[in-house]
Amino acid sequence: EYGDVSQSCMSVADLRSWMLRNPGLVWATVLFGGVVAYRTYRWIYPAGPRTLPPHLREQQMLRFEADKALLREATRNFFFDGDLQQALQLFVEQMANLVVVIEEGDDVTTLSKVWATKLVQDMVCQFPVEPGQVFAVRVSPSSAEGKMLRSVFNISTVPAVLAVGGAQNLLVPGPALSPEVFVNVLLRLREQPQTAEIEAHHKQKGEWIIQQLLLVRGVISINDFVAEPAPGDFTSTSLTEVPGSVFEEDTPDSRAMVRAQQEYEYQQALNADKAQEAERGAAEAERVAAANQAAREQEEQEMAEAIALSNKLTKQSNQQAKRQLLPSEPMVGEMSGIATIVFRVGNQDPFTRRFRPTETMQDLHDFLFVEKGLEDCRFVVTGLGAGVLEDRMLTVMDAKLAPKTQVIVQSTSAGEDEEDEDDY
């Protein structure tokens, strides 16, 4: 039992002695252990905010694109597939009611949600085949047709909706348009009486608007007419009763109107929530990505610094150990066969040292490592004995380096060579 205690004490003493002789390795071991412990802690307890679900932003974008596709499809199914002239010809021939939407934009605009309302779609056809039906056409305000309509009907605000019927015209500015207002407009058009007088007025109005369109396009000129066509009351519009509800009692139409308004408000709130959620998700995803990137860069920098410090301490420890084992420089005339070596390292100034004839090339390498920090290099001898000294066990005498020889030191590592040139 006492023997075991003695052996333990001796091992502790040996460990302490080794630590005193190799402080660089001790510090390198402690630093490496600290880095491993820190990375293990960060792996168990990750820092920073919780990450979002991996595909949240993609889901939000897909949902937005799906909603946009639905609006685009509803718009395509809502409007007449033709230009204003073709629509006016149907207006005259079929005795139909025409809704002209004057707005700029692609298939999906700020008013697309109005056309996507089911009640609105049920009240409008894409191609009229019976008198009294309502169909819609879209016109750009910057086009010749749009400029003609704005001039003829005195439309100052766009986007706007112009409803043209046989008895009257209804005009609604875009900001005031909603599904319920549009339903009121459609009901007003469908409720117009169909008398012989109104039918004649209907036909004359459509033909007069077509004439104005052809004049604007330059197809015909004013000289083609015997008398300039008078607008009569074709261009008068009504705005007063459109925004208000035309249903004052509990009827099936009024209930449908309430349902349409509720559906519209629900869609508005739902779309607003979706937009806000998408914005929050995108902002949070960007913030989390930036935080994670910063954390990764910080960890990589800390790891690189730790590795560099560990390599430096290890190198210093190895230099200290080799310094103790390196033979001292011999005195001049100490013995015969002493070689004076002139070392040339890159662009540095040459330096010399004497070596005994029994010392090997490894001793020359150790000297360069201890004094200059050079590793992984080779010796190229110039002069009569030119060549490369690859064998590190070769002695100075066998290499015939006495009495004096110039040795060019070439690094076998480009990175280390650059580092050495920067240090000296």
Side-chain angles (χ1 to χ4, degrees):
E1 180 178 355
Y2 289 108
D4 294 338
V5 173
S6 175
Q7 291 177 359
S8 300
C9 292
M10 289 299 292
S11 62
V12 172
D14 293 341
L15 178 61
R16 181 179 180 183
S17 176
W18 178 85
M19 292 173 65
L20 292 175
R21 291 195 306 271
N22 303 277
L25 289 177
V26 173
W27 280 109
T29 303
V30 171
L31 182 60
F32 180 76
V35 172
V36 172
Y38 173 77
R39 294 299 298 271
T40 304
Y41 174 81
R42 291 295 299 272
W43 179 73
I44 298 176
Y45 303 103
R50 292 180 178 268
T51 58
L52 292 173
H55 302 296
L56 177 59
R57 186 171 184 180
E58 290 78 2
Q59 293 175 358
Q60 296 293 343
M61 294 301 297
L62 289 175
R63 188 184 306 173
F64 173 77
E65 291 297 332
D67 294 341
K68 190 174 180 180
L70 291 176
L71 291 176
R72 186 180 295 110
E73 182 67 19
T75 302
R76 263 196 309 266
N77 297 333
F78 181 78
F79 286 104
F80 169 69
D81 188 15
D83 59 11
L84 179 61
Q85 182 176 350
Q86 295 171 337
L88 288 171
Q89 290 172 350
L90 286 175
F91 174 82
V92 174
E93 295 171 359
Q94 300 295 339
M95 300 299 292
N97 297 309
L98 178 61
V99 174
V100 183
V101 178
I102 307 173
E103 66 172 343
E104 199 77 66
D106 300 328
D107 292 340
V108 178
T109 64
T110 56
L111 300 180
S112 295
K113 296 176 182 178
V114 178
W115 326 136
T117 306
K118 187 177 185 304
L119 183 58
V120 172
Q121 294 179 349
D122 293 340
M123 298 179 68
V124 176
C125 66
Q126 197 171 15
F127 191 92
V129 294
E130 297 179 359
Q133 288 185 323
V134 181
F135 71 111
V137 66
R138 175 185 282 177
V139 175
S140 171
S142 59
S143 64
E145 294 84 352
K147 293 178 180 178
M148 182 273 296
L149 292 174
R150 295 180 63 183
S151 174
V152 168
F153 291 93
N154 194 23
I155 302 173
S156 58
T157 303
V158 291
V161 174
L162 174 65
V164 183
Q168 62 177 337
N169 305 320
L170 301 174
L171 179 62
V172 183
L177 188 65
S178 62
E180 57 269 23
V181 172
F182 196 62
V183 168
N184 287 343
V185 172
L186 298 177
L187 289 175
R188 293 278 298 278
L189 288 178
R190 296 173 62 176
E191 290 174 353
Q192 293 182 7
Q194 298 295 328
T195 63
E197 182 181 358
I198 292 178
E199 290 178 359
H201 189 271
H202 188 124
K203 183 177 180 180
Q204 294 171 2
K205 180 189 294 187
E207 292 175 348
W208 182 84
I209 298 176
I210 292 176
Q211 291 175 356
Q212 300 303 311
L213 179 59
L214 294 177
L215 285 171
V216 170
R217 289 181 174 177
V219 178
I220 60 177
S221 66
I222 197 65
N223 297 327
D224 296 333
F225 298 93
V226 177
E228 183 177 352
D233 59 349
F234 300 152
T235 60
S236 62
T237 57
S238 175
L239 290 171
T240 54
E241 301 181 9
V242 173
S245 175
V246 297
F247 306 111
E248 300 295 340
E249 55 185 72
D250 187 11
T251 64
D253 288 336
S254 66
R255 289 193 294 270
M257 188 67 218
V258 172
R259 287 196 300 271
Q261 182 175 359
Q262 292 175 346
E263 180 181 356
Y264 172 74
E265 293 176 353
Y266 170 75
Q267 289 294 334
Q268 289 280 77
L270 183 62
N271 293 334
D273 292 341
K274 288 180 180 179
Q276 292 179 359
E277 184 179 358
E279 292 177 359
R280 287 195 298 268
E284 182 68 12
E286 292 178 359
R287 188 182 65 82
V288 170
N292 292 340
Q293 179 66 20
R296 284 194 298 269
E297 292 177 356
Q298 180 67 21
E299 290 180 1
E300 291 174 358
Q301 182 180 359
E302 293 176 356
M303 179 59 68
E305 293 176 354
I307 293 175
L309 181 58
S310 176
N311 293 337
K312 183 178 180 180
L313 294 176
T314 301
K315 185 175 181 178
Q316 291 178 353
S317 177
N318 293 337
Q319 285 179 314
Q320 183 65 25
K322 287 184 180 293
R323 187 184 301 276
Q324 295 177 358
L325 299 175
L326 183 67
S328 60
E329 183 177 12
M331 301 294 293
V332 177
E334 179 179 316
M335 64 174 63
S336 62
I338 293 178
T340 301
I341 308 298
V342 180
F343 293 98
R344 299 188 66 88
V345 182
N347 297 327
Q348 304 177 26
D349 295 333
F351 54 93
T352 62
R353 188 186 189 277
R354 294 183 296 276
F355 292 89
R356 296 177 180 86
T358 56
E359 295 182 28
T360 64
M361 296 300 104
Q362 183 62 51
D363 294 324
L364 272 69
H365 282 279
D366 291 345
F367 164 73
L368 292 177
F369 176 63
V370 171
E371 298 298 333
K372 302 297 182 179
L374 299 178
E375 294 181 289
D376 299 329
C377 57
R378 63 179 181 177
F379 299 148
V380 178
V381 178
T382 61
L384 295 177
V388 179
L389 303 178
E390 300 282 358
D391 187 4
R392 296 200 175 194
M393 300 305 298
L394 186 67
T395 64
V396 172
M397 181 176 61
D398 294 337
K400 300 179 181 180
L401 301 180
K404 187 175 183 178
T405 303
Q406 179 175 259
V407 175
I408 298 176
V409 181
Q410 295 180 346
S411 175
T412 58
S413 174
E416 182 178 337
D417 186 50
E418 294 177 358
E419 181 180 353
D420 292 337
E421 291 182 5
D422 293 338
D423 291 341
Y424 298 97

